Amino acid sequence: SRAQAMEVAESPDVVYDDIGGIDEQIREVREAVEDPLENPEQFETVGVEPPSGVLLHGPPGTGKTMLAKAVANESDATFIKMAGSELVRKFIGEGSRLVRDLFELAAEREPAVIFIDEIDAVASKRTDSKTSGDAEVQRTMMQLLSEMDGFDERGEIRIMAATNRFDMLDEAILRPGRFDRLIEVPEPGPEGRERILEIHTQEMNVAADVDVGVVARELDGYSGADIASLATEAGMFAIRDGRTEVIQSDFERAREKLQDADKTEDRVIN
Ligand code: ATP
């Protein structure tokens, strides 16, 4: 079950240059994760503890997972990912067991970056922890906190987590010695969107007269993940038309298609 619940990569194939529009966040993650992994002696000499855990928070599809993969890759560390939802288990003790496995595996594979996605699944404020399901989730969170508390920050394991629901988090996990470095990963602004579109069209055969800046200007409210889908859709239109190059109107058609899909989704929800 260990293998099922965790994703392990010796070196994930993401580099900092693949991530657009969040340079400041990249800088902060490097300082909190890469520097302590690469120069532990410097922290020792200066006499400071690096942050225990790094929490990335912000809307979906903005690059939080990419950031965690990239810092693991660029620090030559094993990347070990666990989804918070995986830690919410049916049987008593299963969640805590997985948390222990996670830290054990990291110790075997150090240097390592542990990344817990959707941490809110196990670390939300609870109004009612009397129901048995909630009590079990609570125990899993306590196990996570105890693993972090018994942890040597100067060691070769760094812990990261991500959430789209920062407001829901239990403050216990944000205390010093736990997730004590918070990094907000916001939706991209105009320049970020252009950079992200550049990244995602880099490998595509785009006609010379396509102006990525013009396309990007129409993408207000798009996340990085939305922009990645837009680029793929544009390529699909070119293929459907039997062309080898992606032209400006392919991006417009892709945008319309994604907008329509969005509306359909709204209708289903409402
Ligand atoms: P979630 O909260 O939904 O898990 P996330 O913030 O972790 O989302 P990622 O999984 O990192 O988002 O991004 C999903 C995909 O969207 C990436 O694989 C990439 O293709 C694209 N993407 C998102 N953000 C960026 C970005 N800043 N630069 C380039 N591509 C991006």
Side-chain angles (χ1 to χ4, degrees):
S1 79
R2 217 193 214 191
Q4 278 171 349
M6 294 177 211
E7 173 192 330
V8 183
E10 273 328 317
S11 55
D13 56 359
V14 181
V15 295
Y16 297 130
D17 280 346
D18 295 335
I19 311 173
I22 50 172
D23 294 347
E24 177 58 22
Q25 286 76 6
I26 293 175
R27 197 191 59 73
E28 287 180 52
V29 166
R30 294 188 70 170
E31 190 180 279
V33 179
E34 189 179 326
D35 293 353
L37 280 175
E38 291 189 342
N39 301 306
E41 0 28 87
Q42 194 183 4
F43 285 81
E44 196 93 19
T45 312
V46 179
V48 291
E49 301 276 320
S52 291
V54 176
L55 180 72
L56 308 174
H57 63 99
T62 47
K64 297 184 290 297
T65 305
M66 287 184 96
L67 204 45
K69 282 186 175 167
V71 74
N73 183 23
E74 306 234 16
S75 324
D76 291 318
T78 309
F79 177 72
I80 306 175
K81 177 181 154 177
M82 168 80 85
S85 55
E86 284 282 348
L87 292 172
V88 180
R89 292 290 170 134
K90 270 210 239 49
F91 300 105
I92 295 189
E94 240 188 315
S96 323
R97 175 78 249 170
L98 277 172
V99 170
R100 278 197 300 273
D101 284 351
L102 184 64
F103 281 80
E104 251 172 53
L105 183 64
E108 285 163 19
R109 302 287 192 92
E110 62 178 25
V113 171
I114 293 176
F115 177 61
I116 305 172
D117 200 6
E118 315 160 47
I119 182 114
D120 45 278
V122 280
S124 282
K125 292 177 200 146
R126 267 150 219 285
T127 43
D128 176 21
S129 49
K130 286 180 214 85
T131 58
S132 62
D134 275 2
E136 177 56 11
V137 172
Q138 199 76 17
R139 266 194 293 274
T140 304
M141 178 175 93
M142 298 311 289
Q143 183 64 38
L144 176 62
L145 295 183
S146 100
E147 293 284 353
M148 290 185 80
D149 289 346
F151 207 70
D152 178 9
E153 278 94 21
R154 289 170 180 158
E156 291 205 282
I157 300 171
R158 314 299 309 155
I159 307 169
M160 301 180 74
T163 182
N164 308 323
R165 317 288 306 271
F166 183 65
D167 55 311
M168 301 251 306
L169 290 185
D170 191 322
E171 272 132 47
I173 75 154
L174 305 176
R175 287 199 199 120
R178 293 164 176 179
F179 291 97
D180 50 12
R181 178 65 57 95
L182 307 179
I183 300 178
E184 185 179 1
V185 184
E187 226 164 58
E191 280 173 33
R193 291 195 293 269
E194 183 168 344
R195 178 71 200 122
I196 295 169
L197 186 59
E198 266 169 25
I199 290 169
H200 285 280
T201 50
Q202 217 158 251
E203 307 279 300
M204 285 170 53
N205 193 24
V206 176
D209 62 353
V210 169
D211 189 335
V212 169
V214 169
V215 177
R217 237 164 280 152
E218 303 293 319
L219 304 182
D220 207 17
Y222 275 59
S223 68
D226 296 333
I227 296 171
S229 315
L230 178 94
T232 306
E233 282 297 336
M236 294 302 293
F237 277 113
I239 289 169
R240 241 167 262 157
D241 283 0
R243 276 181 279 104
T244 54
E245 270 187 342
V246 184
I247 58 177
Q248 190 90 19
S249 65
D250 291 328
F251 289 99
E252 278 146 33
R253 287 160 82 187
R255 193 160 51 79
E256 279 159 24
K257 184 177 170 188
L258 292 180
Q259 251 155 19
D260 289 346
D262 230 18
K263 281 192 202 118
T264 318
E265 245 169 59
D266 285 347
R267 236 177 282 133
V268 171
I269 292 163
N270 295 331

